[in-house]
């Protein structure tokens, strides 16, 4: 019987996503044996240091890629948001699954909505993009670094360490904690990170059999949107260590892309917007990136 081994991180969210991919592969290919290969990555171990300091692209990918190169796994499942804009090595992304909720969630014990936060409230997030957007709307907020997996972050909120935290809606919903979402921080006010909410399957570039096997899960509309978002972010030299937001939507075969570059310390932001055919996502991405630079975004980029 044919078998596919899926490398995954060991966090609850990563395991949910990989089990979801496994179920969908079994449904698409009756008789296919799907096995999970869970592993801990450097990004999971270094949870005490701010992410910005440990840096390095693909913090959550490296070990999974090594497992594929060494033949211990055939493919890896990731949140596309965590995948660097340039893949480092002989890898491909043959399947991008249909995107779930792309937006951030306002989560709080005491407050029903972002607007209700009192002056100087303490908000936990280590995402520079979320910090820049929060500061842009509410310069009075005190932003505090908050790391760890979704459960750890919620536990810190519940312990009273923060007035509110911001997490991805998709992560909360996948973990069955959608009821913790007090408010969806939706576009255009809050713009998500490129590809937020989308799950991707990575494999070895030359592995045609695995590419063909997983390609049934690829969702063309999601691929077009996240390609434009990633092209914009890539053109700005961005990673998750720079406050860059990008969100594309489709109306029939017309795609619109909203981009933002911000400063996490000051809350200063620069916005750009353009639309174009769904068939040219890279062009749309670079167009919005150029617009952002023309409007002064380069002064905010490292
Ligand atoms: N950086 C961690 C991460 N990577 C993907 C998600 C959520 C799921 C997704 O965006 O697909 C999260 C958690 C979060 O941002 O709250």
């Amino acid at each position: 019987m044919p078998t596919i081994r899926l490398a995954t991180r060991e966090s609850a969210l990563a395991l949910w996503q990989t089990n979801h991919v496994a179920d969908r592969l079994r449904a698409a290919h009756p008789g296919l044996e799907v096995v999970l290969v869970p592993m801990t990555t450097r990004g999971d171990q270094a949870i005490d240091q701010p992410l910005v300091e440990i840096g390095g692209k693909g913090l959550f990918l490296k070990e999974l890629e090594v497992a594929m190169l060494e033949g211990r796994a055939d493919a890896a499942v990731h949140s596309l948001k965590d995948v660097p804009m340039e893949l480092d090595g002989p890898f491909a992304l043959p399947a991008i699954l249909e995107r779930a909720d792309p937006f951030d969630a306002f989560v709080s014990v005491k407050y029903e909505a972002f607007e209700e936060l009192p002056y100087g409230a303490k908000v936990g997030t280590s995402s520079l993009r979320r910090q820049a957007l929060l500061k842009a709307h509410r310069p009075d907020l005190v932003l505090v670094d908050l790391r760890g997996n979704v459960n750890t972050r919620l536990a810190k909120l519940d312990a009273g360490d923060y007035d509110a935290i911001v997490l991805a809606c998709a992560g909360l919903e996948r973990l069955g904690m959608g009821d913790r979402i007090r408010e969806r921080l939706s576009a255009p006010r809050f713009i998500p990170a490129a590809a937020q909410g989308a799950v991707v399957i990575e494999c070895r570039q030359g592995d045609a059999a695995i590419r063909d096997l997983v390609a049934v899960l690829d969702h063309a509309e999601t691929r077009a949107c996240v390609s434009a978002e990633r092209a914009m972010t890539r053109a700005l030299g961005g990673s998750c260590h720079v406050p860059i937001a990008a969100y594309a939507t489709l109306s029939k075969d017309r795609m619109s892309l909203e981009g933002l570059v911000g400063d996490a310390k000051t809350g200063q932001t620069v916005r750009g917007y353009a639309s174009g055919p769904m068939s040219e996502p890279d062009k749309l991405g670079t167009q919005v990136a150029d617009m952002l630079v023309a409007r002064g975004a380069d002064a905010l980029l490292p």
Side-chain angles (χ1 to χ4, degrees):
M1 206 187 310
T3 301
I4 180 168
R5 295 161 300 166
L6 300 176
T8 177
R9 292 169 55 197
E10 281 170 325
S11 72
L13 180 59
L15 286 169
W16 185 96
Q17 292 176 172
T18 309
N19 276 308
H20 174 69
V21 165
D23 288 343
R24 293 212 39 205
L25 284 173
R26 289 183 193 108
H29 304 289
L32 176 71
E33 185 87 35
V34 187
V35 190
L36 266 54
V37 183
M39 49 189 72
T40 306
T41 67
R42 235 166 42 90
D44 298 303
Q45 284 161 355
I47 57 165
D48 294 335
Q49 290 162 270
L51 258 189
V52 185
E53 279 171 28
I54 34 183
K57 286 188 188 172
L59 209 53
F60 298 112
L61 270 81
K62 184 91 183 137
E63 280 81 355
L64 280 60
E65 291 182 339
V66 169
M68 288 189 278
L69 290 177
E70 293 181 355
R72 286 179 281 119
D74 304 300
V77 177
H78 313 286
S79 293
L80 184 51
K81 186 172 79 165
D82 299 330
V83 176
M85 302 306 139
E86 319 263 10
L87 280 184
D88 184 18
F91 299 102
L93 304 177
I96 297 173
L97 277 68
E98 183 170 5
R99 169 138 84 175
D101 193 325
F103 297 126
D104 286 328
F106 173 81
V107 184
S108 172
V109 177
K110 280 194 270 180
Y111 306 101
E112 287 298 325
F114 179 59
E115 291 301 327
E116 283 182 19
L117 284 174
Y119 185 89
K122 202 169 151 188
V123 182
T125 173
S126 34
S127 147
L128 294 177
R129 176 189 58 83
R130 288 171 182 153
Q131 290 179 3
L133 284 163
L134 289 164
K135 272 275 178 209
H137 294 294
R138 285 285 304 272
D140 62 293
L141 296 178
V142 177
L143 303 177
V144 193
D145 210 51
L146 167 61
R147 286 220 45 215
N149 61 40
V150 175
N151 285 304
T152 312
R153 296 189 218 185
L154 287 169
K156 287 180 184 168
L157 171 72
D158 292 341
D161 293 2
Y162 308 93
D163 292 306
I165 63 175
V166 179
L167 293 169
C169 288
L172 287 166
E173 273 155 14
R174 287 173 185 149
L175 294 174
M177 294 188 283
D179 61 341
R180 300 290 314 247
I181 302 171
R182 290 281 167 274
E183 183 186 359
R184 289 171 73 244
L185 302 172
S186 53
R189 208 159 154 247
F190 278 82
I191 306 179
Q196 183 159 307
V199 171
V200 66
I201 306 178
E202 182 185 24
C203 74
R204 288 180 298 261
Q205 177 86 47
D207 199 340
I210 294 295
R211 292 176 75 145
D212 289 349
L213 192 74
V214 303
V216 291
L217 301 190
D218 193 58
H219 187 258
E221 290 83 0
T222 298
R223 179 178 287 273
C225 289
V226 301
S227 297
E229 294 162 10
R230 284 171 61 81
M232 189 207 91
T233 307
R234 186 182 302 120
L236 295 169
S239 64
C240 59
H241 310 297
V242 189
I244 299 180
Y247 180 55
T249 50
L250 280 170
S251 176
K252 299 211 177 100
D253 55 5
R254 190 97 192 140
M255 188 156 49
S256 300
L257 175 64
E258 174 100 29
L260 177 146
V261 175
D263 184 308
K265 290 270 175 313
T266 64
Q268 191 189 340
T269 56
V270 176
R271 283 173 178 264
Y273 172 91
S275 66
M278 174 187 168
S279 55
E280 294 180 330
D282 289 357
K283 194 172 155 194
L284 183 60
T286 46
Q287 197 181 335
V288 176
D290 288 346
M291 184 184 290
L292 288 165
V293 171
R295 291 178 177 180
D298 47 344
L300 303 179
L301 296 165

